[in-house]
Amino acid sequence: KVIKKVMYALSGEYSRLFDYALELKHSNPGSSVHISLDPEEEEPVFHIMYICMDACRRGFLHGCRRVIGLDGCFLKGPMKGELLPAIGRDANNQIYPIAWAVVEYENLSSWKWFLGHLQKDLNIPYGADGWVFITDKQKGLLKAIDQYFPMAEHRMCARHIYANWRKKHRLQEYQKRFWKIAKSCNEMMFKHYKNKLAAKTPKGWADLEKQDPVHWCRAWFKVGSNCEAVDNNVSESFNSWIIDARFKPIIAMLEDIRVMVTRRIQENKSNSERWTMPICPNILRKVNKIRHGTQYCHVLWNGASGFEVRDKKWRFTVDLVQKTCSCSYWQVSGIPCRHTCAALFTMSDESNNYVN
């Protein structure tokens, strides 16, 4: 009797979802909240619910890069289902929640419904040229991305690819070689590290080659995204962040997520107002780490804006006017590489001024 009473209380929240949706729209004008019922059932049965808060939408469009991570996670309570979040990156490379949906199953139909509403809310043009989507290898999601955003850059999480590849090739030394391939910023470096891995394990490279490197290697990332990420850590971090909420009934869970997101944005806003540098702290730490690597660089200056920079293995050309380096890291990430930093030291210039 107790179990039946608890289950009835949990399932009863689904009958209040339309009231909850109306309250969200009333208290957060401009927000997008949609509920769909299962068309195959005679009686009204919950199918999917989508939420995009107006403040999250405006904040993403005004202050974040056009990079979105997509990944589903299971609900932990007695009422099973999945949560589909769309997560962006703020200027400090932290998670920025954009929208989320509760669905029965993670499949092609649910992803199409979710991405269709996301496309409208973010005013993503047809084809989504200039946008970046980072996902895992869920088949329904891959098909939905190809259908809604055929011209967008589609990256696949290298951590998932490595985890699947590692099941057959478990040696620890292969891990570093894999990540050197994934983080190669140009085709020359990609081929170099690929050949090193193939020399160690020909079968390993044969299996890895089945995954098109266009989706998980920096050498093929498009210029303009200012994001060099080869993984989908933002989505994984969000899923872990809301782990406690995922044990609760649906309305209690959605309320917890709303409150957590509101509090996070407010706290980040207050923290950023105390910053004294023009660059966000996480980016500044990354720049300082890159600058530390300039101790191995030797610079040859042509007297104008061009430089030839040689490090331990490679030799690259830097153009400070065009803001390019032939290693391609600067163009892909928007952050000066160590070759650029070495050239700037020669000019007694500050590398922070060249961060996008």
Side-chain angles (χ1 to χ4, degrees):
K1 289 181 179 179
V2 171
I3 292 175
K4 285 184 178 179
K5 196 171 183 179
V6 171
M7 292 299 291
Y8 177 77
L10 295 175
S11 61
E13 288 208 354
Y14 285 89
S15 64
R16 303 299 305 277
L17 279 178
F18 285 100
D19 295 334
Y20 179 67
L22 290 173
E23 184 59 33
L24 279 180
K25 292 180 180 179
H26 174 72
S27 57
N28 302 273
S31 297
S32 179
V33 185
H34 303 280
I35 300 176
S36 173
L37 302 178
D38 193 336
E40 298 181 0
E41 299 288 343
E42 295 182 1
E43 297 182 356
V45 176
F46 173 81
H47 181 54
I48 187 172
M49 181 176 186
Y50 168 90
I51 298 175
C52 179
M53 309 298 287
D54 182 61
C56 294
R57 179 185 62 81
R58 288 186 287 111
F60 174 76
L61 292 175
H62 293 164
C64 296
R65 289 158 284 182
R66 295 180 176 181
V67 179
I68 299 177
L70 300 169
D71 188 21
C73 61
F74 290 98
L75 305 184
K76 303 292 186 178
M79 310 304 294
K80 301 302 180 183
E82 294 190 52
L83 185 79
L84 310 181
I87 309 299
R89 287 174 177 263
D90 62 18
N92 200 29
N93 260 357
Q94 297 171 301
I95 63 172
Y96 189 93
I98 307 167
W100 48 91
V102 180
V103 302
E104 285 186 300
Y105 307 103
E106 184 183 359
N107 52 29
L108 176 60
S109 175
S110 60
W111 275 117
K112 286 172 64 176
W113 198 85
F114 177 68
L115 293 178
H117 285 296
L118 187 69
Q119 184 179 31
K120 293 177 184 177
D121 287 335
L122 300 182
N123 294 319
I124 302 176
Y126 175 76
D129 188 24
W131 287 75
V132 178
F133 293 89
I134 309 177
T135 71
D136 58 11
K137 295 197 65 180
Q138 207 276 337
K139 293 183 180 179
L141 177 54
L142 301 184
K143 292 181 180 178
I145 290 284
D146 290 339
Q147 180 173 339
Y148 279 87
F149 313 116
M151 298 175 64
E153 181 182 349
H154 184 192
R155 303 179 189 176
M156 295 182 189
C157 181
R159 288 178 64 245
H160 285 85
I161 292 175
Y162 173 72
N164 293 330
W165 181 75
R166 188 177 178 271
K167 294 175 182 177
K168 289 185 178 181
H169 312 282
R170 304 185 65 87
L171 286 182
Q172 187 67 28
E173 63 174 302
Y174 295 163
Q175 181 178 12
K176 290 184 178 180
R177 296 184 184 278
F178 170 85
W179 286 108
K180 283 187 175 181
I181 293 173
K183 295 181 179 181
S184 299
C185 293
N186 54 69
E187 198 169 345
M188 175 186 66
M189 297 173 68
F190 169 80
K191 290 180 179 178
H192 173 77
Y193 291 120
K194 175 199 77 172
N195 293 335
K196 284 205 165 190
L197 179 66
K200 287 284 185 181
T201 169
K203 290 184 179 179
W205 172 247
D207 289 339
L208 190 59
E209 199 173 18
K210 296 174 184 177
Q211 312 294 333
D212 192 346
V214 169
H215 298 296
W216 55 271
C217 177
R218 285 178 184 166
W220 282 271
F221 289 176
K222 295 180 181 178
V223 174
S225 65
N226 294 315
C227 178
E228 78 281 19
V230 295
D231 53 50
N232 195 16
N233 283 350
V234 287
S235 296
E236 302 285 353
S237 298
F238 179 81
N239 294 342
S240 299
W241 183 49
I242 63 168
I243 185 69
D244 291 337
R246 286 156 56 191
F247 282 91
K248 297 183 179 182
I250 184 167
I251 291 181
M253 177 190 70
L254 293 174
E255 267 298 276
D256 274 9
I257 294 174
R258 182 189 66 82
V259 171
M260 291 170 70
V261 169
T262 303
R263 183 181 294 119
R264 177 182 178 82
I265 292 176
Q266 179 271 322
E267 289 176 351
N268 283 348
K269 179 177 183 294
S270 299
N271 291 337
S272 66
E273 290 172 348
R274 294 194 293 268
W275 295 346
T276 56
M277 295 289 292
I279 301 176
C280 299
N282 287 344
I283 306 301
L284 186 61
R285 279 192 286 270
K286 185 178 288 190
V287 172
N288 290 337
K289 185 177 180 180
I290 291 173
R291 290 170 62 177
H292 185 69
T294 59
Q295 59 184 311
Y296 305 110
C297 295
H298 300 274
V299 180
L300 180 64
W301 182 30
N302 72 356
S305 61
F307 298 82
E308 182 180 305
V309 182
R310 178 168 53 87
D311 58 18
K312 288 182 177 180
K313 295 181 180 179
W314 313 97
R315 186 174 296 178
F316 298 103
T317 56
V318 176
D319 191 320
L320 297 182
V321 173
Q322 299 295 327
K323 294 187 177 181
T324 60
C325 176
S326 57
C327 79
S328 298
Y329 180 84
W330 191 10
Q331 297 92 295
V332 171
S333 67
I335 299 173
C337 58
R338 65 175 178 268
H339 316 108
T340 304
C341 291
L344 290 169
F345 285 153
T346 303
M347 299 292 292
S348 299
D349 204 345
E350 179 56 58
S351 55
N352 293 349
N353 298 331
Y354 290 80
V355 175
N356 190 291

